[in-house]
Structure formats: structure tokens, C-alpha cells
Amino acid sequence: MSLNRHQIRESAFKIIFAKSANPDADLSELQDQVLEEFHETEAPDQFLKDLVMGVSLNLEAINETIGGELKKGWTVKRLESPDRVILQMGTYEIKYTETPNKVAINEALELAKKYTGEDARKFINGVLSNIAE
């Protein structure tokens, strides 16, 4: 059974979230743990690898982009972890991939529905919409 794109994004979210909470964790071990939740035993999809590595390798630039959209005095580090990771993934997809902006934003909002509250969803939508302009 292969994961669909939404499940891959959710898996990437969980991996990036876990890595941000525990920087010393091994990415491949995190990936294996997350994929086990889906009873996925096949090799990870290239899209999953691209999302996780893309965010990791471009994190500084991604955080600068997000930081430019925050109110004065706010930093990316001040954001709640789920909000920060969803914004990082959405920004990566908007800035570094061929994913249509509307799709990247919609997928980020789907993750936000599951992992954040209503105010956070509105905030994520606003930030990513500004980045996509």
C-alpha cells in the first residue's frame, strides 16, 4: 500500500516535528517510526524524502521568509511548534517546489485542522498567503 500525498505530508510533519523537539534523533529512525503508523513497509516515497530534507536543508532561509511575515517583536522560535512546522513545510513547498501555491496552502491548512486550533489556522493561512504573493 502506497501513501497518498496528504499522508506523506502528514508523515513529513511528524518527522520534522519530532526532529525539532529532539535534534539528536536519527532521521531514518524517525521516518521508520512514523511510517509504521501507516503500516507502511515499502521504501519511503521520494516526495517524503524531498519534504523532510528540503525543509531541513533550507531551514534558515525558510525561517527568514516566515519571520518577515510576523508582527514586530515576534520570531519564528516564539511560534507554537506545530504552527512553526506547518509554516516551514508550506513555505518550503511554495518557495522551493513546483507544487501550486493553492495546493501547498490547502495542505498546510488540512494539517492545521488536525494539529492546531482555529486561530492558528487563520494565522497560518494569512502567513502562507502572503508568502505566496
Side-chain angles (χ1 to χ4, degrees):
M1 176 186 108
S2 226
L3 301 180
N4 64 38
R5 287 279 177 137
H6 179 73
Q7 290 170 320
I8 291 170
R9 284 183 178 93
E10 185 170 359
S11 296
F13 167 79
K14 290 177 178 181
I15 293 166
I16 295 166
F17 185 89
K19 184 70 172 168
S20 70
N22 183 4
D24 295 330
D26 180 75
L27 269 178
S28 62
E29 285 180 23
L30 292 174
Q31 181 177 279
D32 290 345
Q33 290 170 2
V34 167
L35 292 177
E36 277 177 22
E37 292 178 36
F38 290 103
H39 305 289
E40 185 64 40
T41 56
E42 296 177 23
D45 187 283
Q46 187 61 44
F47 183 57
L48 175 62
K49 292 177 185 176
D50 291 346
L51 279 175
V52 172
M53 292 310 298
V55 170
S56 298
L57 295 173
N58 297 289
L59 192 57
E60 190 174 320
I62 289 168
N63 285 343
E64 282 181 29
T65 301
I66 295 167
E69 299 299 326
L70 301 178
K71 289 182 182 177
K72 186 177 179 182
W74 274 80
T75 63
V76 174
K77 289 182 180 181
R78 268 185 81 182
L79 299 174
E80 294 288 331
S81 293
D83 304 350
R84 182 177 59 249
V85 172
I86 292 168
L87 283 169
Q88 289 167 338
M89 288 178 56
T91 301
Y92 171 74
E93 284 204 74
I94 290 167
K95 293 290 189 183
Y96 297 91
T97 72
E98 299 295 319
T99 303
N101 292 347
K102 284 185 176 185
V103 172
I105 293 169
N106 185 59
E107 287 292 334
L109 294 176
E110 288 299 315
L111 287 171
K113 281 181 189 176
K114 188 168 183 176
Y115 295 101
T116 68
E118 180 67 29
D119 288 341
R121 283 195 299 277
K122 290 177 184 176
F123 171 72
I124 289 167
N125 186 38
V127 171
L128 291 178
S129 294
N130 287 344
I131 290 170
E133 288 180 350

